[in-house]
Amino acid sequence: ILMPSALLIPATIVPVSAPPSALPSPSLSFFGSPSIEARPPSAAPTAPIDAGAALHKAMDRFIDTRLRLIYLLANIQVECAFRLVEENLAYSAKRICEVWPTRFPTPASAKMFERNPIGLANKVYGGRMGNVNPGDGYLCRGRGWPQLTGRDAYTIVGGIVGKDFVANPDQLLTLEGSAAAAVGFFAWKKVGDLADKDDLVGVRTRWNGGGHGLPALRTAVALLKDTWPANGMPTQLQPARAAPTS
């Protein structure tokens, strides 16, 4: 895939060079805070990571236009600012009520789940999103760049990119796994057609299910468009591949 010559993404990813065929551009520095409450994995990487290899390998699937590339990276920025993170469920009772007001109308109703990530995840995610087995809620909690959540998402996205995220969910806390999951999620949700229409609201709704993070997405998209102008990067990056039908 043809990409700008350098990416600079915070935290666990360091600047890397793209293949020689890539078009030159300035380094890109993302900014802002993620739209989720997340924490680094317990075994956070300490050595520099080759982001370029993982990104190029993953984006070879389904990311075949300039706008798809822009909207993929912008949505990852909104979700987790390119950090390798998993969902933080060690909430106070007050915070639990704020996040799930219908399920927990009072602090007293949330008290038993306070600072109890396993219990909380199984309570709020159990029995939905494909979580049918005991413990699925915590096993399939939000992880990685797309904050993939639920057994259905783990299974479907894993199938698209050829990875078993259910059997080995910590793959989502690796650079290669996160990059693959983000691209697979983009394909699963059929974001590409909306990205090609430059439909910012539609893209965010398709990705997130609503308008949460829309202002941050608008900012990130504008930055990327300025960094990679239409006349400085080919509209079609590679032969298109159809998104999965299921």
Side-chain angles (χ1 to χ4, degrees):
I1 187 170
L2 295 176
M3 286 178 56
S5 61
L7 295 177
L8 178 59
I9 307 171
T12 56
I13 303 176
V14 297
V16 295
S17 295
S21 60
L23 297 174
S25 89
S27 293
L28 174 64
S29 178
F30 281 91
F31 53 89
S33 58
S35 63
I36 55 148
E37 296 181 44
R39 64 180 179 85
S42 56
T46 56
I49 299 172
D50 184 356
L55 287 167
H56 281 276
K57 180 179 179 181
M59 291 194 292
D60 187 53
R61 298 184 176 99
F62 312 116
I63 308 302
D64 48 48
T65 70
R66 165 181 172 268
L67 284 173
R68 291 185 187 197
L69 175 60
I70 285 173
Y71 275 101
L72 172 71
L73 297 181
N75 271 290
I76 295 171
Q77 161 62 19
V78 173
E79 291 298 326
C80 62
F82 286 84
R83 296 177 299 160
L84 298 174
V85 294
E86 61 187 4
E87 189 175 6
N88 175 18
L89 292 158
Y91 292 158
S92 67
K94 179 176 181 290
R95 181 59 180 153
I96 291 172
C97 293
E98 291 171 350
V99 176
W100 294 283
T102 303
R103 291 175 178 268
F104 303 100
T106 66
S109 66
K111 191 66 179 176
M112 69 178 295
F113 299 102
E114 187 172 41
R115 311 300 179 196
N116 177 6
I118 296 175
L120 180 60
N122 289 330
K123 171 68 174 177
V124 298
Y125 295 146
R128 62 191 187 99
M129 299 184 292
N131 294 329
V132 295
N133 301 320
D136 273 355
Y138 186 71
L139 174 69
C140 300
R141 64 194 180 277
R143 284 190 179 95
W145 285 354
Q147 282 300 286
L148 209 61
T149 307
R151 180 177 280 268
D152 279 349
Y154 276 47
T155 301
I156 294 169
V157 173
I160 291 170
V161 300
K163 295 183 182 294
D164 191 341
F165 291 134
V166 175
N168 185 8
D170 283 344
Q171 289 181 89
L172 291 163
L173 300 179
T174 68
L175 185 66
E176 181 180 353
S178 258
V183 172
F185 186 81
F186 189 97
W188 175 38
K189 294 296 183 178
K190 299 179 171 61
V191 179
D193 290 345
L194 294 171
D196 287 340
K197 296 175 183 176
D198 206 5
D199 181 353
L200 189 142
V201 174
V203 164
R204 189 58 189 161
T205 302
R206 185 74 57 83
W207 181 287
N208 181 256
H212 185 66
L214 190 59
L217 183 70
R218 184 173 287 109
T219 300
V221 167
L223 172 64
L224 284 160
K225 285 180 176 179
D226 286 345
T227 304
W228 303 332
N231 61 0
M233 190 175 183
T235 300
Q236 189 75 23
L237 301 178
Q238 63 182 29
R241 289 176 52 181
T245 56
S246 59

